[in-house]
Amino acid sequence: MKTLWQNCNAATMANGTYSIIEDAAIVTRDGYIEWIGPRLHLPPAEYDQTIGLEGAWVTPGLIDCHTHTVFGGNRSGEFEQRLQGVSYAEIAAAGGGIASTVRATRAASEDELFASARQRLLCLLRDGVTSVEIKSGYGLSLESERKILRVIRRLGQELPVTVRSTCLAAHALPPEYKDRADDYIEHICTEMLPALAGEGLVDAVDAFCEYLAFSPAQVERVFKVAQQLGLPVKLHAEQLSSLHGSSLAARYQALSADHLEFMTEEDAVAMAQSGTVAVLLPGAFYFLRETQLPPMESLRKHGVKIAIASDLNPGTSPALSLRLMLNMACTLFRMTPEEALAGVTQHAATALGMGDTHGSLEPGKVADFVAWNIDRPADLAYWLGADLDKRVVRNGVEL
Ligand code: DI6
Ligand code: FE
């Protein structure tokens, strides 16, 4: 099917900049972009259909490159407790926090996890998301991590979205390994990762490198096994303290290092040299009322690609809108609307190893795009919330 899309302006996001084409025309064929440029330069051709976009601004489909969408239960009760002055440490000591989500996730059936995650994912899709990364990490046993990863695969099969799965077994210490972190890491390395990768459930491997989670040495053991299994790695790093996890990630050519509030300039240099994408998560920064800002000037100075994501999870970022993260990235982290939009398109695609096929409107890339009824591209970061009027096209077909 060869389609001509016209009567629009395009922010193509090529090379991570707006790269605007006014009065643009887009030719798609069999799910890919065949041609894009000024309508007046359109080469003569026959089309199966011509579609007018009513003066819309067209961007690449949005990509949420860091989510924990699949989990049981919710933690709004903890939200209320913290507003009454109860600390995270007190909540965790009383069995709350990640541990409570692990219990609820282990108790939920695969169908129950699918149903609740589907509802949350539909919220992201209504906001213009056409690709998403989803992590495991609330099972913390082979059986429960497998259950989550199977749900992640099923979400990509049953909904109009490209889904990448990430195994985050090294998210927290399960109760059966209390005070035995090294033994749990050994279990991940010798049992969980080989089995889950062998079942085709894993596209990348992640870990939580933090003083209250796993050390750089423990993370490196997981990275070595991921490397042996031919799987790319990512890392939750420098969220609450500086352990130089992002430099470790760079040494393993990680696709991304994520959070990064406490990263140093030397971490930024290492990430720039390895091409590791900095994924900033303003929802967690906001929800935790953090004060330590990620070092934007270091990231810009050293040319580190910056992505933005929702970090959708029940504890620190119950965020159901990627577009709201654009505003938070600008308002809280002082990114420009252009940087923020690149952060949920081209740079987000690169953070998922999809930079050659997704993330910008260029010939040869997948024809995932959104036609927004807005006045200018910055409107996507400007308007807080709501469901902006839009038309979503995925693989060249309007949803
Ligand atoms: N960093 C976070 O903010 C979340 N996980 C992580 O590695 C917290 C997840 C939770 O509180 O449920
Ligand atoms: Fe996260």
Side-chain angles (χ1 to χ4, degrees):
M1 169 75 81
K2 184 165 182 169
T3 304
L4 170 61
W5 309 79
Q6 59 183 5
N7 190 8
C8 62
N9 298 311
T12 70
M13 303 319 293
N15 305 310
T17 63
Y18 279 145
S19 306
I20 284 172
I21 302 171
E22 296 191 342
D23 188 9
I26 306 169
V27 178
T28 60
R29 179 200 284 268
D30 303 335
Y32 290 86
I33 296 172
E34 187 173 78
W35 187 91
I36 181 169
R39 182 175 53 81
L40 295 179
H41 297 178
L42 185 64
E46 298 292 318
Y47 302 100
D48 298 302
Q49 57 179 350
T50 297
I51 296 176
L53 293 172
E54 299 139 320
W57 271 96
V58 178
T59 71
L62 304 190
I63 300 174
D64 196 344
C65 68
H66 180 134
T67 84
H68 308 251
T69 306
V70 180
F71 55 86
N74 92 33
R75 294 188 0 226
S76 58
E78 291 181 15
F79 178 57
E80 286 178 300
Q81 281 182 291
R82 286 196 287 110
L83 289 167
Q84 290 153 11
V86 182
S87 74
Y88 257 95
E90 289 165 320
I91 290 170
I98 292 181
S100 69
T101 300
V102 170
R103 287 194 300 275
T105 303
R106 288 181 170 183
S109 70
E110 193 172 304
D111 286 346
E112 285 165 342
L113 290 179
F114 176 82
S116 62
R118 180 178 180 276
Q119 287 308 108
R120 292 187 281 266
L121 190 49
L122 286 174
C123 293
L124 293 178
L125 301 193
R126 277 195 290 274
D127 219 9
V129 168
T130 54
S131 295
V132 65
E133 181 258 16
I134 304 178
K135 305 174 191 290
S136 65
Y138 288 110
L140 308 185
S141 69
L142 175 53
E143 174 195 4
S144 296
E145 287 292 299
R146 175 184 288 126
K147 178 171 67 176
I148 297 168
L149 289 163
R150 284 168 50 85
V151 169
I152 294 170
R153 280 284 185 256
R154 195 174 144 198
L155 288 163
Q157 290 156 2
E158 299 194 19
L159 291 177
V161 58
T162 299
V163 175
R164 285 285 182 274
S165 69
T166 298
C167 182
L168 177 60
H171 189 197
L173 199 58
E176 54 273 17
Y177 282 90
K178 183 172 169 41
D179 301 328
R180 295 193 297 127
D182 280 332
D183 291 345
Y184 179 56
I185 290 292
E186 185 66 12
H187 177 53
I188 290 173
C189 292
T190 58
E191 308 290 331
M192 295 170 78
L193 279 179
L196 297 170
E199 294 162 25
L201 293 173
V202 182
D203 296 321
V205 175
D206 191 350
F208 186 17
C209 187
E210 195 52 70
Y211 67 87
L212 46 70
F214 297 100
S215 69
Q218 290 166 337
V219 168
E220 185 159 17
R221 287 172 58 196
V222 174
F223 279 5
K224 285 187 185 325
V225 171
Q227 210 168 48
Q228 289 160 10
L229 293 168
L231 294 170
V233 296
K234 313 170 134 286
L235 190 63
H236 284 67
E238 273 73 69
Q239 178 181 7
L240 306 172
S241 66
S242 172
L243 298 180
H244 298 294
S246 41
S247 287
L248 170 65
R251 285 202 297 280
Y252 279 80
Q253 286 72 48
L255 292 173
S256 71
D258 303 38
H259 282 288
L260 301 179
E261 283 84 349
F262 285 84
M263 78 179 294
T264 64
E265 180 137 20
E266 65 182 301
D267 294 329
V269 170
M271 288 177 65
Q273 287 167 351
S274 66
T276 299
V277 176
V279 177
L280 303 184
L281 303 168
F285 177 90
Y286 166 83
F287 197 72
L288 296 175
R289 302 177 69 220
E290 285 185 36
T291 54
Q292 172 74 25
L293 288 165
M296 291 305 304
E297 286 322 306
S298 281
L299 292 168
R300 290 181 175 125
K301 174 182 167 187
H302 296 291
V304 179
K305 291 186 178 69
I306 302 170
I308 304 295
S310 68
D311 194 17
L312 170 54
N313 78 73
T316 63
S317 189
L320 296 175
S321 165
L322 183 60
R323 230 178 31 78
L324 180 58
M325 300 301 111
L326 294 180
N327 180 276
M328 288 189 181
C330 297
T331 302
L332 299 173
F333 294 169
R334 318 313 289 165
M335 291 177 72
T336 66
E338 180 176 21
E339 287 175 323
L341 186 56
V344 296
T345 52
Q346 185 56 56
H347 297 333
T350 304
L352 296 182
M354 297 164 53
D356 294 339
T357 56
H358 293 71
S360 66
L361 303 178
E362 297 180 85
K365 286 206 169 181
V366 171
D368 288 356
F369 54 88
V370 183
W372 304 89
N373 180 12
I374 55 175
D375 297 330
R376 32 203 310 277
D379 289 4
L380 296 177
Y382 168 70
W383 292 111
L384 286 171
D387 178 6
L388 291 185
D389 181 34
K390 71 184 81 67
R391 296 164 67 172
V392 180
V393 175
R394 188 167 138 63
N395 295 326
V397 177
E398 187 164 356
L399 297 184

